[in-house]
Amino acid sequence: MANISTAGVDPTKMGVGRAIAVLTSGGDAQGMNAAVRATVRVGLYTGAKVFFVHEGYQGLVDGGDHIRPATWESVSMMLQLGGTVIGSARCKDFQTREGRLKAASNLVKLGVTNLCVIGGDGSLTGANIFRTEWSDLLKDLISKGKITKEEAKTSSHLNIVGMVGSIDNDFCGTDMTIGTDSALHRIIEVVDSITTTAQSHQRAFILEVMGRHCGYLALVTALACGADWVFIPEMPPDDGWEDHLCRRLTETRKAGSRLNVIIVAEGAINKAGKPITCDQLKDLVTKRLGYDTRATILGHVQRGGTPSAFDRVLGSRMGVEAVMALLEATPETPACVVSLSGNQAVRLPLMECVQVTKDVTVAMNEGRFDDAVKLRGRYVGKYHSNINVAILNVGAPCAGMNAAVRAAVRIGIIQGHNMLAVHDGFEGLALEKIEPITWNIVGEWTGKGGSELGTKRVLPGKYMEEISLNIAKYNIHALVIIGGFEAFSGALEMVQGRGKYEELCIPMVIIPATVSNNLPGSDFSIGADTALNTITSTCDRIKQSAAGTKRRVFIIETMGGYCGYLATMAGLSAGADAAYIYEEKFGIRDLERNVEHLTEKMKTTVKRGLILRNENCSSNYTTDFIFNLYSEEGKGVFDCRKNVLGHMQQGGTPTPFDRNFATKMGAKAVLWLTEKLKECYRHGRIFANTPDSACVLGMRKRGLVLQPLAELKEETDFEHRIPKNQWWLKLRPIMKILAKYKISLDTSEHTLMEHVISKKPPVHMTLTK
């Protein structure tokens, strides 16, 4: 990404005396507004004048009210809107020299020498022609008396920067075009809805998505929903595909599936170049197989709706980079396009990208489909890395584990790895419970609670010989270990075993997944949010029951081992009177004070109490002891009931937070392993024995971080299986104040005020999906 403060220049002065115009052209795409907004605000930030060009190139030709000054406020509330607020239009006039003369005259009169174009390859090609002709257009305008020589001198050259807005992701040179991700969101929503009705009736569904010359949307949709077949323009099926398709659909049904899904790009063709249509496929499946078949053409739904977060960030990042590219350009700089390479915004020569994009179309028209695939880039290539990544769940099961496994498996497959499932944790690794796991197997795992792989608390220590032999036998190159404290302890044992067993010198990543939230290296663990919601909703019902009978105190025991996270956070969310935890020592005097507090409370209109107790808060003050004490002391004032919530806290379907968090963690873990494997590849084999080759992936403050196990070992109380420092302990005084205890609140730490709209544009942004 461009660094705004390059070469010692004051970034707020870079654009002084300059003018930038921004236009959107061609088909609309969600995220275009984010790009416009970023261009305007960064342009203004640098001191430049910025103009909107309404209605694309038509507005550039018509001039007048179509080209208006843009202000900071005029792009407010644009970010979340789909389409393009400044309008887009196909323009015949701009394709003529006469039209381009008018456009040049309009820009010169306003002193605009920097043009930012957001559109597809046609729009960007038009911009480049305009730039190439610029000098000749100025000469013509002078000879016709439309502009003066002075005006021509101040506008002697035109800088052009393009951003690609296209839901098809059909532009060569960028990994992702603005709008593609949002279109996928629309498509996946529809596919999810269709699959439920298809399963009910044992139907086959044929879904046509956009992509006249590019199969990206169709391919990614097929991957995401586990479709039986996909047709894309770049890879026409072999002759006799009809038989192959019918055989595939029959096999899927025989395997127990109640539905079939076929995805078709609108530009799908056969080897002879003839279209493959929805109707054609529907007739084939109905006549040959007799399946109840439905066809759905999504059409412009894919272009509509609000942009995804990915597209908002992408558009914003590209807008920042585009302004920098314009202001740093010289008359010798070729017109460039701002592209995304991995997570890096890069500038590429516009016409080189346009040329490769056109070469794809030519190759397809000439039937050179292999060449088309190579030119298209990474998305349709057949990956294979010969890397074997094994995944295991360790410790107690929790909601969200399956979502993490699913994300890891699918990202691994996309990266080209062979993914292996290990059943029953480290024990399974020792006893050879290892098998390949495929895309389809994990298809519907996101919303499932528990652990589909099976999980055990067994540590690897006593099995190290067998584990090392199996790592060698199955040629395992990396491990993803998803689980709780046993996952952390077990991975440490594996690292310690590297000295004796060379097979253990492979990269390992631990993803925290436990309701207790007691792993060092992460503020949150997968599963804790679901457990917390379970406890809170149970407490809500219990309080309702207590309110009905009046003067009743409930004592609830929560899980968590020695970690008081669940008891504390549930206390905050359920409005408890006290939460007893191991980390905050308490004695008989504290218990007496709590009873007195409840006695006073019963004199008010709120005649109920809720006490939470973490299961291991004290070996002597057990749940029964506290219940008996409260019952005795409260005689004549309130009565008591107790509930031990037990394993219901580990069950249930994962909450949206846990699904989302687990998916991000699973994906991030495998992407990190992929990079780490490249580092560890020596002389044809993997060898990893550095501390940073075995890490915990955690959420720390604002981001996901990877920390070596060796570092985290120092931060851990192994006897009680908790981190030595826990962020949530600072929330405990708030819980007490809310329960009307007279205690002092530490206000020595101040959080600095942050601006929602930063004065300086965000340059080094992290693109997360």
Side-chain angles (χ1 to χ4, degrees):
M1 198 73 191
N3 189 333
I4 284 190
S5 53
T6 45
V9 179
D10 178 355
T12 61
K13 303 283 191 292
M14 279 178 77
V16 172
R18 315 274 291 275
I20 300 169
V22 57
L23 65 88
T24 53
S25 173
D28 64 310
Q30 310 98 317
M32 277 184 165
N33 290 324
V36 170
R37 173 179 174 271
T39 306
V40 168
R41 289 194 167 172
V42 178
L44 293 172
Y45 164 84
T46 63
K49 280 185 181 173
V50 187
F51 292 88
F52 287 135
V53 180
H54 290 268
E55 312 308 333
Y57 284 118
Q58 193 64 55
L60 207 59
V61 173
D62 295 345
D65 209 26
H66 285 96
I67 306 174
R68 297 178 221 156
T71 64
W72 191 276
E73 290 77 20
S74 63
V75 291
S76 160
M77 300 298 288
M78 276 174 74
L79 198 56
Q80 71 275 36
L81 299 175
T84 164
V85 168
I86 56 174
S88 180
R90 310 281 176 191
C91 179
K92 291 271 193 291
D93 292 346
F94 192 74
Q95 291 169 14
T96 66
R97 185 176 171 82
E98 191 57 39
R100 292 194 290 275
L101 265 175
K102 286 181 186 173
S105 174
N106 290 330
L107 290 182
V108 170
K109 290 292 181 189
L110 292 167
V112 174
T113 55
N114 299 282
L115 186 60
C116 176
V117 178
I118 307 164
D121 59 339
S123 306
L124 299 181
T125 305
N128 195 64
I129 292 167
F130 191 37
R131 179 180 184 275
T132 310
E133 290 180 345
W134 187 255
S135 297
D136 290 340
L137 293 173
L138 293 191
K139 284 175 192 167
D140 277 13
L141 289 169
I142 293 167
S143 66
K144 290 180 179 177
K146 300 274 185 183
I147 60 169
T148 64
K149 286 187 177 177
E150 286 69 33
E151 285 173 326
K153 195 176 178 184
T154 56
S155 302
S156 57
H157 71 277
L158 179 70
N159 297 323
I160 297 251
V161 171
M163 286 182 261
V164 191
S166 160
I167 67 164
D168 293 342
N169 204 26
D170 57 354
F171 192 81
C172 296
T174 185
D175 289 354
M176 205 70 154
T177 56
I178 296 168
T180 305
D181 185 67
S182 301
L184 281 170
H185 274 252
R186 297 295 97 77
I187 296 166
I188 300 302
E189 283 167 19
V190 172
V191 172
D192 283 350
S193 302
I194 277 176
T195 49
T196 56
T197 176
Q199 278 181 324
S200 303
H201 297 277
Q202 296 197 49
R203 280 182 178 146
F205 261 93
I206 299 150
L207 197 74
E208 184 190 288
V209 300
M210 283 184 165
R212 197 164 297 131
H213 305 293
C214 179
Y216 182 86
L217 290 177
L219 186 68
V220 175
T221 301
L223 290 173
C225 71
D228 295 286
W229 200 281
V230 59
F231 293 93
I232 60 172
E234 296 90 336
M235 297 175 85
D238 293 329
D239 293 337
W241 60 266
E242 295 91 343
D243 296 334
H244 190 179
L245 170 64
C246 290
R247 197 162 57 247
R248 163 81 183 160
L249 299 185
T250 308
E251 284 167 3
T252 312
R253 288 287 173 101
K254 280 180 181 169
S257 176
R258 291 177 59 83
L259 80 157
N260 298 110
V261 178
I262 301 166
I263 308 292
V264 196
E266 62 178 326
I269 49 174
N270 62 19
K271 281 273 166 68
K274 294 276 191 323
I276 295 175
T277 66
C278 257
D279 287 341
Q280 186 186 335
L281 290 166
K282 184 182 173 183
D283 288 346
L284 173 72
V285 176
T286 308
K287 285 173 183 168
R288 288 259 197 113
L289 302 175
Y291 292 170
D292 185 359
T293 309
R294 298 286 188 276
T296 304
I297 297 172
L298 285 190
H300 283 73
V301 165
Q302 295 157 86
R303 274 196 198 286
T306 186
S308 67
F310 184 90
D311 276 326
R312 295 178 202 198
V313 176
L314 180 62
S316 301
R317 285 182 72 182
M318 288 188 166
V320 175
E321 188 68 27
V323 173
M324 291 302 111
L326 284 170
L327 297 182
E328 290 167 11
T330 66
E332 290 72 45
T333 311
C336 82
V337 62
V338 179
S339 298
L340 183 76
S341 176
N343 191 23
Q344 192 70 42
V346 294
R347 304 174 194 176
L348 300 171
L350 188 150
M351 285 322 290
E352 286 180 24
C353 297
V354 168
Q355 190 54 54
V356 178
T357 304
K358 287 184 172 166
D359 289 347
V360 173
T361 310
V362 171
M364 285 162 63
N365 289 342
E366 292 175 1
R368 294 183 288 111
F369 296 105
D370 287 347
D371 291 344
V373 169
K374 283 178 193 152
L375 288 163
R376 187 64 89 195
R378 335 198 248 208
Y379 87 88
V380 288
K382 290 177 183 171
Y383 290 141
H384 202 65
S385 69
N386 289 321
I387 291 290
N388 300 320
V389 179
I391 302 180
L392 57 157
N393 292 346
V394 177
C398 67
M401 274 184 164
N402 295 322
V405 172
R406 176 183 178 273
V409 167
R410 290 194 163 182
I411 291 291
I413 290 167
I414 289 169
Q415 296 285 310
H417 309 323
N418 303 310
M419 304 305 288
L420 299 170
V422 179
H423 299 279
D424 300 337
F426 289 119
E427 186 178 282
L429 196 55
L431 303 178
E432 277 194 75
K433 295 183 180 179
I434 305 163
E435 61 181 8
I437 186 164
T438 61
W439 188 278
N440 288 343
I441 289 171
V442 296
E444 294 171 11
W445 281 20
T446 310
K448 286 187 176 179
S451 165
E452 294 288 306
L453 291 183
T455 177
K456 290 204 172 175
R457 294 178 180 270
V458 177
L459 292 176
K462 62 176 181 178
Y463 288 118
M464 215 56 91
E465 178 90 27
E466 293 88 338
I467 285 172
S468 61
L469 287 171
N470 286 335
I471 286 174
K473 181 176 178 179
Y474 288 87
N475 202 15
I476 293 168
H477 300 107
L479 281 178
V480 179
I481 305 167
I482 302 167
F485 205 85
E486 289 87 357
F488 177 67
S489 308
L492 271 172
E493 288 183 7
M494 299 272 281
V495 170
Q496 283 155 6
R498 282 174 169 178
K500 188 174 178 184
Y501 302 102
E502 204 176 278
E503 295 84 357
L504 303 180
C505 294
I506 57 173
M508 305 174 200
V509 62
I510 291 87
I511 298 176
T514 164
V515 299
S516 302
N517 197 31
N518 62 333
L519 258 72
S522 191
D523 292 351
F524 299 107
S525 294
I526 294 164
D529 185 70
T530 305
L532 189 56
N533 278 282
T534 302
I535 298 166
T536 305
S537 61
T538 306
C539 288
D540 289 346
R541 292 175 187 183
I542 283 169
K543 282 175 75 176
Q544 194 178 45
S545 151
T549 52
K550 303 282 188 281
R551 295 191 181 172
R552 180 164 284 175
V553 174
F554 274 89
I555 292 146
I556 311 290
E557 182 188 297
T558 68
M559 277 184 159
Y562 285 96
C563 179
Y565 175 82
L566 286 178
T568 297
M569 301 306 265
L572 262 174
S573 59
D577 295 282
Y580 301 122
I581 63 168
Y582 165 77
E583 294 91 341
E584 194 174 280
K585 300 300 177 209
F586 63 98
I588 196 70
R589 296 281 172 271
D590 300 291
L591 293 171
E592 282 178 351
R593 268 195 296 273
N594 293 150
V595 173
E596 286 162 13
H597 176 82
L598 285 166
T599 304
E600 287 302 307
K601 188 178 176 183
M602 294 302 162
K603 294 174 184 172
T604 70
T605 54
V606 184
K607 294 179 173 32
R608 63 176 184 273
L610 181 66
I611 304 290
L612 296 180
R613 179 190 175 276
N614 162 255
E615 59 184 350
N616 286 350
C617 66
S618 165
S619 55
N620 293 317
Y621 298 128
T622 62
T623 302
D624 283 342
F625 178 94
I626 292 173
F627 168 70
N628 292 334
L629 175 74
Y630 272 64
S631 298
E632 185 62 35
E633 295 297 317
K635 266 183 186 165
V637 183
F638 57 81
D639 64 352
C640 284
R641 294 288 187 274
K642 66 175 178 188
N643 282 70
V644 177
L645 298 186
H647 284 74
M648 66 180 286
Q649 295 161 84
Q650 284 180 355
T653 57
T655 57
F657 178 90
D658 277 332
R659 291 180 200 206
N660 194 16
F661 187 44
T663 302
K664 284 180 184 171
M665 298 278 270
K668 173 88 173 175
V670 173
L671 293 172
W672 176 78
L673 280 177
T674 303
E675 291 307 307
K676 191 54 67 179
L677 285 161
K678 289 175 191 168
E679 287 174 30
C680 302
Y681 192 75
R682 300 275 184 283
H683 312 299
R685 59 184 288 249
I686 305 289
F687 186 78
N689 67 345
T690 54
D692 68 352
S693 64
C695 286
V696 169
L697 172 61
M699 170 66 78
R700 273 313 219 351
K701 293 194 173 167
R702 296 187 175 193
L704 295 180
V705 291
L706 285 131
Q707 290 170 275
L709 290 171
E711 283 177 20
L712 293 173
K713 189 178 175 183
E714 304 306 314
E715 297 177 22
T716 309
D717 171 356
F718 281 94
E719 185 190 347
H720 299 103
R721 298 158 55 99
I722 51 174
K724 288 176 182 172
N725 295 304
Q726 302 187 83
W727 64 274
W728 50 266
L729 284 167
K730 290 179 181 171
L731 302 178
R732 284 187 59 82
I734 300 169
M735 182 187 72
K736 292 175 183 175
I737 287 167
L738 294 175
K740 219 175 175 180
Y741 283 87
K742 291 181 175 63
I743 63 158
S744 60
L745 187 63
D746 179 9
T747 56
S748 58
E749 280 191 29
H750 292 282
T751 305
L752 294 173
M753 176 76 77
E754 294 184 18
H755 294 283
V756 177
I757 298 172
S758 50
K759 298 285 188 287
K760 190 170 177 179
V763 184
H764 296 286
M765 287 187 272
T766 305
L767 191 62
T768 53
K769 189 163 180 196

